[in-house]
């Protein structure tokens, strides 16, 4: 018996006043009802609306707050459960009615719902929360606007349990956008107590405290160390979770996390290098790996098409033909992803996104294009990537460097530290980047609006300008005729492929490794853990 | 004694001021734009500008420095944007974690290195001298992150002797009620044996890794200093006057040899505190080092400034302590020298 | 090797006529007495050869990737195995020698030049010069050194040159201290007075008469520092602030291989780590050996 086991059995075998989980009679149950998770890093804020809230902070919104609606669930081809984009289901709202013109929705709130402090959830809380998402500016405001929620005047309290949203146009994204994590419902009475004239939205207090009514309470949060959730037993917005307690530790070393999982010391981990997931999925044993292709997301090579040499479409096509696709997939991604090359042609067969391009690795053809472009001897350039994603970006960049050398393009590799990456993207002066983008709302035109549209959002990392494409993207956004819509989508996808300002490489897969005893896992577009459905067998 | 302390503190002021200025300039020279970082992935140029105003980054540099200095004077180290917590609170919470393993590491290293150094010095060029050199030099030659990885792999993953590298406590336990922040002491105060064992278990690997690294300077300094003292006149005199070798060794030689060793200990300690960054990463240890590094990577100014300042103050304090100890060990040492 | 050290020793004893022969004899005696130091010198020689001739000695192209032979364990073809991109680790480790040694050497040379200069001036003139230089060195010392190095590299950008500057800056105080102390002791020595009386200017006395004599203690510092500089560069790489890929460097190789350890591919980080350790080890032993060589107590 080693030391750790000894300590554990000692813990299980004797009564102690400290941790409830170590009381003898409850020990077995406690272990089954406690989920121990380890991730690379944890939230930097408990408030998804807050300035600079990171991705793990979104999970707080999911687990400790409710929204009016949630998405349904569906079974994917491989048996994995996934949220269902096409189905909206009640959460805090028990029912809703969309107006005939599609420009207003009336929500009826559940009467038995309370916040963690016991106060009832009212329509005033909903309005305050929606107002806050807009008023805080930055990311939450941007997300609200993506669903045509632009102004606090659109949110109307009808009575204690009736809330109306008015839209100034019919927008298919409006309803699903109210089920994403951002429009979470805050306990406005509690939050207001901590508001000041300088800080009307209580941002300072909510950063380190929660005022929600979600399925779990945040019991303790030690930033940089751990986050502990305890079940909120009076949760009414869905079936009561079977887990009572979740301990979420931060363990930066991926190797350690894998070891912890392999030895059964943790139940679950996200975000390991693809190699580890690949091996664990083959090993069998007590660990199970679930992978789901991330919707509306791509790894890509972006070329700055506003400046030479990549302002020449022939050069861009040459690069697309020179990508070492198979090697990238095998070596850098360990086969974890969906290939986005090798279709019959660049003319899309279906109005879906993402889908494979007509390119594949063809060096002679790339050389020919370089000749046609007037740069037969190639040139020198820099390939940049975000240091934070080095696990895959670095091997990928090295492979790309090697492959581009074959057509005369001499690439030096530039690792950009995380803090500088966003600033560098905003500057739009990097000639060549390896990057990833994913959109929450699963519409092709949504992706294109951010990544290709001439409005030149930060995600249009190529500074790509194409008025013809802009027209199609704008039209598809509010198109109601199915056939016309599909034609528009196929149109802009084809432009993106032939003009190729960014070369799609592969659709990433989202992987989670867990003990086989962990059940009820569900894939979400925000790729954060939803502990409400999980349980241990 | 008091005037010594006062004089030492006064002398430290220029250094500390220098550090405040240098750190400020250095953090502002970081290439990242915190405003762009915190504006979120979808930010427009206006959104970034909004955040810049919110963070006070639109002010000229001298204004920012004055604001910072003013806050410092009030004891306010600012707010970390990445963790959303006041820097002073977070440093206070994390410092004990770092101090705990650093002190234990030093203690362990001292317990091994002092006898080893003395042995080596009393038998120069014997096998034990060579072995001592080899072992300690090997220790200091190990890249600390490599040692950490290797130890965790062998003792946790392969052999299962060590507890999982998940920080200060096994996930079964909650931290003991806060008194000192040192889990070993706090758990004893709370009379909770299991938490004590768990905390101690978690510490084993990081402490060994740290101890391996500092073994060499301590053992070397002990050996060198002992060698010097043993060949000095007063030891020769003591030997000649017929005192037993043990008395000579411990009462006369060792005591005199301790002075440079003490200096080394102090230097090693402050060096370790600032540089066990990598250990903290490997063992998921929530200390100050990893805090500073994370902040640095994210261009989060306040924590970096706060960390460097606290380290500098600690450095001054330790040097002062050593000076005081000097006079205790050897009353002849005058402060002026 | 013997010659090299002897020459150094000779400079320190320029005043004695038969110094060279005596020093040679002494070196041979010390090395004979101390096999560890002899081994360290031999090892150092091997590293030098690897640093100079590495690219010609390497059996494979250190940058060539090959998907078919990714992550192969050590074999007779690939002595140290292959990494995640199928590159030959032995070749990479070999070729990295020149970069790692080069960075460490440049950094130490920089801090040696600057530190000794400043320290010597401070020790010789005293007064305000001394106070200013000592404050500078105190200020650097009071920084957490590794974090200071990180901040410098982060601020200036991660290139080989900046890693060298950062390492040089954090090493500066050690040289300042040693040089200052050594010059201070000697500034009123008999031979210095004699040189002054012979009509030499102050700076000339400092540069030609005192400075050569402080070299021996500084040499020890250099050797110890070389090891530390290598570790420092490797540590920066581990955090992600190292040289640019795909250039081979020991620290980066250890860091990248670290995540493969758990899955059983221990060789990816083990060999670069072991060689890195060996290099630092070698420098540390050299430092010890040099100290023994020049310790006046042992010379009698």
């Amino acid at each position: 018996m080693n030391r750790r086991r000894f300590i554990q059995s000692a813990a299980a075998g004797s009564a102690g006043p400290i941790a409830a989980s170590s009381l003898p009679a409850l020990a077995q149950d406690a272990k089954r009802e406690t989920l121990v998770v380890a991730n690379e890093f944890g939230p930097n804020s408990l408030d998804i609306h807050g300035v600079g809230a990171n991705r793990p902070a979104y999970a707080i919104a999911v687990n400790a707050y409710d929204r009016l609606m949630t998405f349904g669930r569906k079974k994917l081809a491989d048996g994995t459960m996934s949220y269902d984009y096409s189905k909206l289901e009640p959460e805090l709202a028990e029912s809703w009615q969309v107006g005939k013109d599609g420009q207003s929705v009336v929500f009826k709130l559940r009467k038995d719902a309370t916040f963690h402090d016991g106060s009832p959830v009212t329509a005033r809380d909903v309005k305050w929360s929606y107002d806050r998402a807009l008023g805080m500016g930055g990311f939450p405001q941007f997300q609200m606007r993506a669903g045509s929620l632009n102004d606090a005047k659109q949110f109307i309290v009808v009575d204690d349990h009736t809330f109306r949203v008015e839209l100034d146009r019919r927008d298919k994204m409006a309803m699903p956008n109210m089920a994403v994590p951002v429009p979470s419902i805050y306990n406005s009475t509690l939050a207001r107590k901590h508001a000041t004239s300088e800080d009307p939205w209580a941002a300072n207090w909510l950063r380190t405290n929660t005022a929600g009514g979600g399925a779990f309470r945040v019991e303790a949060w030690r930033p940089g160390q751990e986050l502990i959730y305890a079940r909120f037993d009076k949760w009414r917005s869905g079936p009561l979770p079977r887990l009572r307690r979740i301990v979420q530790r931060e363990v930066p070393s991926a190797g350690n996390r894998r070891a912890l999982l392999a030895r059964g010391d943790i139940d679950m981990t996200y975000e390991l290098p693809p190699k580890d997931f690949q091996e664990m999925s083959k090993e069998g044993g007590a660990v199970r790996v679930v992978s789901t292709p991330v919707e509306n997301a791509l790894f890509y090579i972006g070329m700055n098409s506003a400046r030479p040499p990549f302002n020449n479409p022939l050069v861009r096509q040459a690069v697309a033909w020179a990508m070492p696709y198979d090697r990238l997939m095998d070596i850098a991604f360990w086969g974890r992803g969906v290939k986005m090359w090798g279709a019959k042609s660049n003319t899309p067969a279906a109005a879906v996104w993402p889908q494979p391009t007509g390119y594949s690795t063809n060096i002679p053809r790339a050389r020919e294009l370089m000749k046609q472009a007037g740069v037969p001897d190639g040139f020198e350039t820099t390939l940049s990537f975000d240091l934070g994603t080095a696990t895959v970006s670095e091997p990928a960049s090295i492979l790309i460097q090697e492959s581009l050398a074959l057509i005369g393009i001499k690439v030096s590799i530039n690792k950009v530290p995380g803090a500088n990456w966003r600033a560098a993207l905003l500057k739009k002066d990097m000639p060549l980047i390896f990057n990833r983008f994913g959109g929450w709302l699963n519409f092709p035109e949504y992706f294109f609006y951010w990544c290709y549209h001439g409005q030149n959002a930060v995600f249009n990392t190529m500074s790509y300008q194409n008025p013809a494409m802009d027209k199609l993207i704008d039209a598809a956004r509010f198109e109601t005729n199915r056939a016309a819509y599909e034609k528009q989508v196929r149109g802009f996808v084809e432009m993106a492929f032939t003009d190729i300002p960014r070369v799609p490489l592969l659709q990433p897969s989202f992987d989670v490794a867990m003990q086989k005893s962990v059940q009820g896992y569900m894939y979400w577009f925000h790729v954060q853990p939803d502990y409400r459905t999980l349980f241990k067998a | 004694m008091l005037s010594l302390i006062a004089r030492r503190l006064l002398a430290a002021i220029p250094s500390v001021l220098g550090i405040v200025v240098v750190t400020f300039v250095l953090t502002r020279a970081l290439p990242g734009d915190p405003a762009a970082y915190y504006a979120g992935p979808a930010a427009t140029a206006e959104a970034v500008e909004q955040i810049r105003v919110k963070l006070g980054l639109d002010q000229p540099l001298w204004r920012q420095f004055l604001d910072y200095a003013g806050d410092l004077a009030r004891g306010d180290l600012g707010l970390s944007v990445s963790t959303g917590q006041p820097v002073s609170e977070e440093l206070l919470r994390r410092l004990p974690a770092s101090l705990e393993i650093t002190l234990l590491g030093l203690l362990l290293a001292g317990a091994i290195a002092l006898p080893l150094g003395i042995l080596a010095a009393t038998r120069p060029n014997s096998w034990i001298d060579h072995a001592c050199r080899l072992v300690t030099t090997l220790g200091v030659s190990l890249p600390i992150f490599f040692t950490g990885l290797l130890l965790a792999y062998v003792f946790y993953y392969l052999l299962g002797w060590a507890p999982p590298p998940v920080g200060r406590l096994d996930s079964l336990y909650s931290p003991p009620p806060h008194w000192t922040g040192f889990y070993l002491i706090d758990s004893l105060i709370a009379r909770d044996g299991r938490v004590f064992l768990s905390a101690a278990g978690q510490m084993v690997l990081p402490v060994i890794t740290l101890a391996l690294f500092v073994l060499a300077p301590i053992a070397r300094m002990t050996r060198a200093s002992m060698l010097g003292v043993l060949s000095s006149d007063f030891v020769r005199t003591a030997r000649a006057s017929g005192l037993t070798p043990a008395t000579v060794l411990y009462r006369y030689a060792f005591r005199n040899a301790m002075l440079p060793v003490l200096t080394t200990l102090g230097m090693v300690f402050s060096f370790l505190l600032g540089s066990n960054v990598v250990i903290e990463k490997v063992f998921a240890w929530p200390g100050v080092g990893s805090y500073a590094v994370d902040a640095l990577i994210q261009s989060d100014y306040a924590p970096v400034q706060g960390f460097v300042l606290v380290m500098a103050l600690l450095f001054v304090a330790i040097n002062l302590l050593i000076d005081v100890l000097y006079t205790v060990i050897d009353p002849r040492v005058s402060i002026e020298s | 090797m013997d010659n090299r050290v002897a020459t150094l020793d000779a400079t320190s004893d320029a005043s004695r006529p038969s110094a060279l022969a005596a020093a040679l004899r002494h070196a041979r005696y010390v090395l004979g007495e101390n096999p560890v130091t002899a081994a360290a010198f031999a090892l150092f020689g091997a590293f030098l050869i690897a640093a100079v001739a590495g690219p010609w000695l390497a059996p494979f192209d250190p940058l060539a990737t090959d998907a078919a032979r990714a992550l192969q364990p050590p074999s007779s073809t690939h002595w140290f195995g292959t990494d995640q991109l199928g590159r030959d680790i032995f070749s990479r480790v070999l070729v990295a020698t020149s970069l790692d040694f080069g960075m460490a050497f440049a950094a130490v040379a920089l801090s040696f030049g600057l530190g000794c200069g400043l320290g010597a001036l401070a020790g010789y003139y005293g007064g305000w010069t001394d106070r200013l230089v000592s404050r500078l060195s105190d200020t650097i010392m009071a920084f957490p050194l590794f974090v200071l190095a990180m901040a410098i590299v982060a601020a200036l950008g991660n290139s080989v040159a900046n890693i060298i500057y950062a390492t040089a800056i954090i090493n500066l105080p050690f040289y300042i201290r040693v040089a200052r102390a050594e010059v201070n002791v000697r500034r009123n020595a008999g031979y210095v007075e004699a040189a002054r009386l012979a009509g030499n200017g102050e700076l000339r006395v400092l540069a030609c008469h005192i400075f050569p004599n402080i070299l021996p203690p500084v040499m020890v510092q250099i050797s110890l520092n070389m090891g530390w500089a290598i570790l420092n560069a490797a540590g920066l790489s581990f955090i992600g602030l190292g040289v640019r890929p795909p250039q081979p460097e020991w620290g980066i190789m250890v860091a990248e291989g670290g995540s493969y350890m758990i899955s059983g591919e221990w060789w990816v980080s083990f060999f670069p780590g072991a060689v890195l350790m060996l290099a630092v080890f070698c420098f540390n032993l050299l430092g010890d050996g040099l100290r023994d060589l020049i310790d006046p107590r042992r010379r009698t």
Side-chain angles (χ1 to χ4, degrees), chain A residues 2 4 7 11 16 18 21 44 52 142 207-208 221 223-225 249 256 259-260 263 265 419-420 422 426 458-459, chain B residues 31 37-38 41-42 79 82-85 93-94 156-157 160 164-166 169 171-173 192 194 282 286 297-299:
Chain A
N2 64 46
R4 196 186 51 74
I7 294 168
I18 290 298
S21 59
N44 61 357
F142 149 81
R207 184 162 43 208
T208 50
W221 178 42
Q225 303 178 44
R249 284 275 171 98
N256 282 347
L260 288 166
R263 296 187 57 91
D265 287 320
N420 202 11
R422 296 250 177 89
L426 273 170
V458 60
F459 301 120
Chain B
Y37 190 69
Y38 296 114
L79 205 69
S82 58
T83 65
Q85 307 280 306
R93 189 169 49 218
R94 283 162 168 273
Y156 167 62
Y157 189 66
V166 286
L169 275 182
S171 39
L172 273 176
Y173 304 107
D192 192 323
R194 286 168 300 114
V282 172
I297 298 285
Q298 297 175 17
S299 289

Side-chain angles (χ1 to χ4, degrees), chain A residues 47-252:
Chain A
D47 178 11
I48 191 173
H49 294 166
V51 174
N54 60 5
R55 287 180 170 277
Y58 303 170
I60 311 277
V62 172
N63 293 295
Y65 289 89
D66 281 344
R67 283 137 299 279
L68 291 177
M69 298 172 291
T70 184
F71 291 103
R73 43 167 56 200
K74 64 180 176 195
K75 206 171 214 161
L76 298 175
D78 67 346
T80 313
M81 289 310 288
S82 163
Y83 84 104
D84 183 351
Y85 198 76
S86 59
K87 254 193 297 189
L88 286 169
E89 287 183 358
E91 199 158 277
L92 269 177
E94 53 186 14
S95 68
W96 54 88
Q97 193 73 46
V98 182
K100 278 208 186 81
D101 55 358
Q103 294 194 5
S104 72
V105 206
V106 177
F107 292 96
K108 284 278 177 205
L109 302 189
R110 189 182 290 287
K111 298 212 167 59
D112 55 354
T114 59
F115 288 111
H116 295 156
D117 68 354
S119 56
V121 181
T122 69
R124 279 183 306 280
D125 296 304
V126 180
K127 172 160 175 62
W128 190 81
S129 308
Y130 274 45
D131 289 354
R132 184 174 194 267
L134 279 179
M136 290 281 284
F139 164 68
Q141 187 188 52
F142 149 81
Q143 188 63 45
M144 296 295 276
R145 285 182 177 168
S148 295
L149 304 176
N150 301 311
D151 193 326
K153 273 185 262 167
Q154 292 172 263
F155 315 135
I156 296 143
V157 176
V158 179
D159 61 44
D160 267 7
H161 293 99
T162 314
F163 176 68
R164 191 169 81 236
V165 174
E166 300 208 324
L167 301 165
D168 41 17
R169 58 186 171 184
R170 181 189 280 273
D171 185 349
K172 64 186 167 205
M173 292 184 199
M175 288 299 279
N177 197 42
M178 282 189 261
V180 304
V182 166
S184 291
I185 310 307
Y186 290 68
N187 182 342
S188 64
T189 327
L190 178 60
R192 273 195 182 127
K193 279 186 199 144
H194 300 275
T196 62
S197 56
E198 279 162 32
D199 179 20
W201 300 113
N204 283 330
W205 187 75
L206 282 169
R207 184 162 43 208
T208 50
N209 297 277
T210 51
F216 293 95
R217 282 181 300 111
V218 173
E219 189 182 87
W221 178 42
R222 281 173 273 277
Q225 303 178 44
E226 63 178 359
L227 177 78
I228 298 171
Y229 288 110
R231 187 173 72 190
F232 175 45
D233 288 332
K234 293 194 182 117
W235 192 56
R236 295 288 176 266
S237 304
L240 195 65
R242 288 165 63 180
L243 292 173
R244 278 180 187 275
R245 197 156 187 267
I246 292 130
V247 179
Q248 196 180 297
R249 284 275 171 98
E250 293 187 26
V251 179

Side-chain angles (χ1 to χ4, degrees), chain B residues 72-73 134 301:
Chain B
L72 263 192
L134 216 62
Y301 302 151

